[in-house]
Amino acid sequence: MANVVITGANRGIGLALVREYVAAGDRVYALCRVPAQAAELAMLAEQSGGRLTLHALDMASGAGVAAAARAAVGEAPVDVLLNVAGVLGGETGAVTSTRFDEDDFADWHHAFEVMTVGPFRLIQALLPNLIAARGKAMTVSSQLAASTWPFGGMYAYGATKAGVNRVMMSLAIDLRDQGVCVASIHPGYVQTDMGGPTADITPQKSAAGIRSVVEQLALDNSGNFFKWNGELHPW
Ligand SMILES: NC(=O)c1ccc[n+]([C@@H]2O[C@H](COP(=O)([O-])OP(=O)(O)OC[C@H]3O[C@@H](n4cnc5c(N)ncnc54)[C@H](OP(=O)(O)O)[C@@H]3O)[C@@H](O)[C@H]2O)c1
């Protein structure tokens, strides 16, 4: 039974990953902004025989990210850490920091806190737990990180994802000697609140793919940017 930590666990790809890992018999720490409002997670937790617990974590809370993660996980070894939480831009998730005439740069900072700095803070905070398990940290990025995916607009979002890929690659190099694998992944174009109903694949399919890529992740392929189907994503 692996110990698995998942952010953005209350809906979308994060929730589908929680289902995957719980169904596989693992112990899941589900981190989300407002556990009291996470009805589906709470229902899953009730049926999990104590293998799923809910914990509050706001990825935009600065130093609060580390404190919340440590409070949630304690001394438990972490086999898998999944950074999933994301926003398209803007504190409400509205697509704002995507326009050339954007003049509220608070959106940019917020997006970076949630999708670039937050994942780094989380790995920093849980490093002893990851080392104890010779664990793996996988960050959900996006094809919009890649220079090979020409797409205008979405300035802040694309920049945070390109940034986090680079951060994860550096961490993979720095943590290799301690037995910790780090990588990033494009989850597919997924039918969630973010992807919309006409996207290519279901959250279940994306989550199953991500879990399989995490299983294959090892020190010799650590630092890569993957696709949900296991291929390497050029970037
Ligand atoms: N869907 C796609 O096609 C697609 C494609 C490429 C990459 N991605 C990436 O995949 C990841 C998951 O996306 P999704 O499609 O599942 O999106 P989603 O359905 O919109 O879910 C986003 C999740 O992130 C959480 N979140 C947002 N801000 C947060 C914060 N400050 N602190 C903690 N949690 C926060 C949300 O929690 P709340 O309910 O509290 O807001 C929610 O659980 C994201 O990183 C996204 O960029 C998605």
Side-chain angles (χ1 to χ4, degrees):
M1 181 174 76
N3 288 336
V4 183
V5 177
I6 303 177
T7 71
N10 57 308
R11 59 188 169 97
I13 297 166
L15 180 62
L17 282 162
V18 171
R19 290 186 196 283
E20 276 285 315
Y21 281 96
V22 169
D26 294 320
R27 163 74 173 100
V28 177
Y29 298 82
L31 308 181
C32 59
R33 268 199 282 210
V34 192
Q37 291 171 12
E40 282 186 79
L41 264 185
M43 221 154 59
L44 279 176
E46 267 178 38
Q47 299 156 0
S48 74
R51 285 186 298 104
L52 170 60
T53 49
L54 279 59
H55 309 270
L57 174 88
D58 184 342
M59 292 296 280
S61 62
V65 171
R70 290 198 191 106
V73 179
E75 305 287 312
V78 170
D79 299 279
V80 178
L81 166 59
L82 299 170
N83 278 305
V84 188
V87 283
L88 274 179
E91 305 222 357
T92 60
V95 185
T96 52
S97 45
T98 60
R99 302 187 323 258
F100 182 68
D101 60 356
E102 177 65 48
D103 60 1
D104 178 2
F105 291 97
D107 276 358
W108 281 70
H109 292 290
H110 181 259
F112 269 97
E113 280 296 330
V114 174
M115 293 183 285
T116 309
V117 185
F120 181 81
R121 288 184 195 273
L122 211 53
I123 292 174
Q124 227 183 14
L126 296 180
L127 184 59
N129 312 66
L130 284 163
I131 291 172
R134 294 182 71 80
K136 306 175 185 186
M138 179 65 86
T139 293
V140 176
S141 177
S142 167
Q143 61 197 357
L144 287 172
S147 61
T148 53
W149 188 257
F151 199 91
M154 307 197 67
Y155 298 106
Y157 183 82
T160 72
K161 296 299 196 184
V164 84
N165 277 10
R166 179 69 213 194
V167 169
M168 294 303 136
M169 193 186 94
S170 297
L171 282 170
I173 291 165
D174 294 343
L175 302 183
R176 180 166 282 138
D177 286 350
Q178 296 168 86
V180 175
C181 301
V182 185
S184 50
I185 190 162
H186 167 58
Y189 180 30
V190 190
Q191 294 151 12
T192 62
D193 292 339
M194 186 183 287
T198 58
D200 294 339
I201 58 171
T202 62
Q204 294 72 23
K205 195 163 185 179
S206 173
I210 293 170
R211 183 163 159 267
S212 159
V213 174
V214 170
E215 265 173 16
Q216 304 299 317
L217 182 62
L219 290 174
D220 62 359
N221 63 2
S222 184
N224 277 310
F225 178 34
F226 294 94
K227 296 182 190 175
W228 65 278
N229 62 5
E231 292 171 14
L232 287 182
H233 200 309
W235 61 293

